Amino acid sequence: MSNCDEPMEEYAEPVEETNGHSFYRVKQRLKDRSKKVAQTKEILSKQAVQTKEILSKQAVKIAKQAEEHEKFINKVTHLVGVLGFGGFCFLLGARPQDTRYVYCLFYFIFVPLRWIYYRYKKWHYYLLDFCYYANTIFLVDLLLYPRNEKFFMVCFSFAEGPLAWALIVWRCSLVFSSLDKLVSVLIHLLPGLVFFTIRWWDPATFAAMHPEGSSARASWPYVESKTYLWTWLFVVPLVAYSLWQLLYFLIVNVLRRQRLLRDPEVMTSYRELSKKAQKANNLWWRLSGLLGDQNRLFMYIVLQAIFTVATMALTVPIFLSYELHVAFQILKVSASVWNGGSFLLEVMPRQVILKEKKKKAEVQPTETQVDQTLEVQPIQTRLDQSLHHDAAANNSVEIVEASQT
């Protein structure tokens, strides 16, 4: 046994050395990998910052070029808007089941363009509003889950609830010559029209409403009870709205608070509405100040929540009645057209006058500066001549004195 133990003792130290060496190599490899991961993260973060800066610069450049050709763009927008509106009305009658694809195409084209323009104007926080949150959910429903009845009811509540009534309450104007106003109206109006066609005019919906072998009109989606109806048209949408409100508050009022405080030109919905309400001293301004100026943001959230609850509750009778739903579509379109006429006849002339005044104010200082420079130049030349004459006289006197000495 002693003879056998001796070799084991001889090999014990090399084994320990090799184990220690392998452990050191593994540790070194882990350190190298962690360094590589850290370097990769740093490179990716730098690339992300550079990409963001490039996109922001391009957005500003495109927006400035658009402003330089504003009149031409307004004419093109008016032409395309009128033709597009007529084409959409034709599509409603000819192929109502295809209106959803027109809406999706509109979203994919004009929302990115709006981001570019709003980024330049410092209005990009508007894109965090509920209407864009809801429109993104509509895309998911229409493209990925078009036959999910519960999801459809949630989207119906959004489209014919807060979005539709915002069109009326916030006085969105259908102005074909203004791309910004046209997109604002369509973001609130198109979803309701799309879900109206799916609810009542889609051939697949008609097949569900008129089962074979039965003359009775069936409900679609298949409403099992009033509890089922209120759950998916009111309770679940309200939970989804509350989730948006929480996320919006965290992003705008917590994470980006310092950014907004540093730059008062950056606009959010609350800033814009409070600014307009204060200027007009209207009902919204008085209601938001019930708890004092320091609690206006809280009151704004409460008032918006009340508005959302009320408008979502109204979607239940609209969902059940075809006649009521048709009347609501007419009301929305009429309100936006009326507001558009008011804007063209009352607001736009004032804006044109203000623009002309600004241009004159910019031109007048330059003209006065030119006049001042023209006036200053002769005075300076006369001063230079007199100084030169005095210097010459002094030199002659010095020469005479020198000659006398």
Side-chain angles (χ1 to χ4, degrees):
M1 290 293 291
S2 59
N3 293 332
C4 293
D5 289 342
E6 287 177 1
M8 292 295 292
E9 290 176 0
E10 291 176 1
Y11 288 109
E13 290 181 3
V15 168
E16 288 178 1
E17 288 178 2
T18 54
N19 288 337
H21 184 64
S22 61
F23 176 74
Y24 174 77
R25 288 173 63 188
V26 170
K27 190 176 179 181
Q28 193 65 30
R29 284 178 186 175
L30 290 173
K31 283 184 179 179
D32 293 340
R33 285 182 182 178
S34 62
K35 285 182 181 178
K36 287 181 181 179
V37 169
Q39 289 174 355
T40 306
K41 284 183 178 179
E42 188 177 354
I43 292 168
L44 290 173
S45 64
K46 286 181 180 179
Q47 288 178 350
V49 170
Q50 290 175 356
T51 305
K52 187 179 178 181
E53 289 177 355
I54 291 168
L55 289 173
S56 298
K57 287 179 181 178
Q58 289 298 321
V60 171
K61 187 178 179 181
I62 292 169
K64 283 183 177 178
Q65 289 176 351
E67 280 195 346
E68 290 173 1
H69 304 88
E70 184 179 2
K71 289 184 179 179
F72 176 75
I73 291 172
N74 288 343
K75 290 176 183 178
V76 173
T77 303
H78 184 81
L79 174 66
V80 175
V82 172
L83 294 177
F85 194 77
F88 185 78
C89 291
F90 172 78
L91 191 68
L92 275 175
R95 291 188 61 84
Q97 67 272 22
D98 292 338
T99 54
R100 67 189 73 184
Y101 304 117
V102 174
Y103 162 73
C104 293
L105 183 66
F106 158 79
Y107 185 91
F108 284 125
I109 292 173
F110 288 100
V111 171
L113 289 175
R114 171 159 276 204
W115 179 85
I116 291 171
Y117 180 65
Y118 277 17
R119 186 74 180 80
Y120 165 68
K121 301 288 283 186
K122 295 185 178 181
W123 297 348
H124 47 286
Y125 284 98
Y126 284 146
L127 299 180
L128 297 175
D129 287 352
F130 179 75
C131 54
Y132 297 97
Y133 171 80
N135 274 271
T136 305
I137 293 174
F138 299 157
L139 284 181
V140 175
D141 173 56
L142 295 173
L143 296 177
L144 301 180
Y145 305 100
R147 286 296 160 196
N148 189 313
E149 294 175 356
K150 294 176 180 178
F151 200 2
F152 167 80
M153 293 172 78
V154 172
C155 293
F156 185 95
S157 179
F158 285 166
E160 297 294 54
L163 261 69
W165 285 100
L167 191 72
I168 300 167
V169 173
W170 306 124
R171 301 188 65 188
C172 294
S173 305
L174 185 60
V175 181
F176 290 110
S177 59
S178 172
L179 182 61
D180 186 47
K181 291 192 174 296
L182 190 60
V183 172
S184 294
V185 168
L186 293 178
I187 279 176
H188 294 85
L189 182 64
L190 270 183
L193 290 172
V194 169
F195 290 111
F196 170 83
T197 59
I198 295 173
R199 178 75 177 100
W200 304 108
W201 289 358
D202 194 325
T205 307
F206 275 122
M209 286 181 175
H210 298 275
E212 292 183 5
S214 174
S215 59
R217 185 184 176 94
S219 177
W220 186 92
Y222 301 105
V223 179
E224 299 171 358
S225 63
K226 286 188 176 180
T227 306
Y228 177 88
L229 194 70
W230 279 93
T231 299
W232 293 101
L233 281 175
F234 183 73
V235 177
V236 175
L238 202 58
V239 172
Y241 166 82
S242 302
L243 177 63
W244 164 81
Q245 185 66 79
L246 179 63
L247 290 172
Y248 184 88
F249 182 81
L250 287 174
I251 293 170
V252 175
N253 298 103
V254 178
L255 297 176
R256 306 298 292 172
R257 178 180 172 80
Q258 296 300 322
R259 168 75 176 90
L260 293 169
L261 290 173
R262 283 197 305 269
D263 193 351
E265 291 183 0
V266 177
M267 275 295 157
T268 63
S269 295
Y270 170 70
R271 279 187 174 182
E272 179 69 16
L273 289 172
S274 60
K275 183 180 176 181
K276 288 182 178 179
Q278 184 181 12
K279 188 177 180 181
N281 196 22
N282 57 18
L283 180 63
W284 292 105
W285 181 253
R286 291 193 291 271
L287 286 174
S288 63
L290 288 176
L291 299 179
D293 289 339
Q294 69 276 11
N295 294 315
R296 283 191 184 275
L297 178 60
F298 172 74
M299 283 300 298
Y300 173 74
I301 295 171
V302 170
L303 290 171
Q304 191 176 10
I306 293 170
F307 169 80
T308 304
V309 170
T311 54
M312 281 183 179
L314 289 172
T315 59
V316 178
I318 291 172
F319 184 82
L320 293 174
S321 172
Y322 174 73
E323 291 78 11
L324 188 59
H325 205 176
V326 170
F328 190 52
Q329 302 308 309
I330 295 171
L331 174 65
K332 288 190 296 182
V333 175
S334 300
S336 58
V337 172
W338 179 271
N339 293 332
S342 301
F343 178 83
L344 288 171
L345 297 173
E346 297 172 8
V347 180
M348 188 172 279
R350 292 200 299 267
Q351 290 183 348
V352 172
I353 292 169
L354 287 172
K355 281 184 179 179
E356 291 298 325
K357 285 182 178 179
K358 283 183 179 179
K359 284 182 180 178
K360 287 180 181 179
E362 288 174 358
V363 170
Q364 283 177 356
T366 55
E367 290 179 352
T368 53
Q369 285 175 3
V370 170
D371 294 336
Q372 287 174 359
T373 52
L374 291 172
E375 290 174 0
V376 168
Q377 282 177 355
I379 294 169
Q380 286 180 343
T381 53
R382 287 197 295 271
L383 286 170
D384 292 338
Q385 288 174 0
S386 62
L387 290 171
H388 181 71
H389 179 71
D390 293 340
N394 290 330
N395 288 332
S396 61
V397 169
E398 288 175 359
I399 291 167
V400 170
E401 289 176 352
S403 61
Q404 288 176 355
T405 55

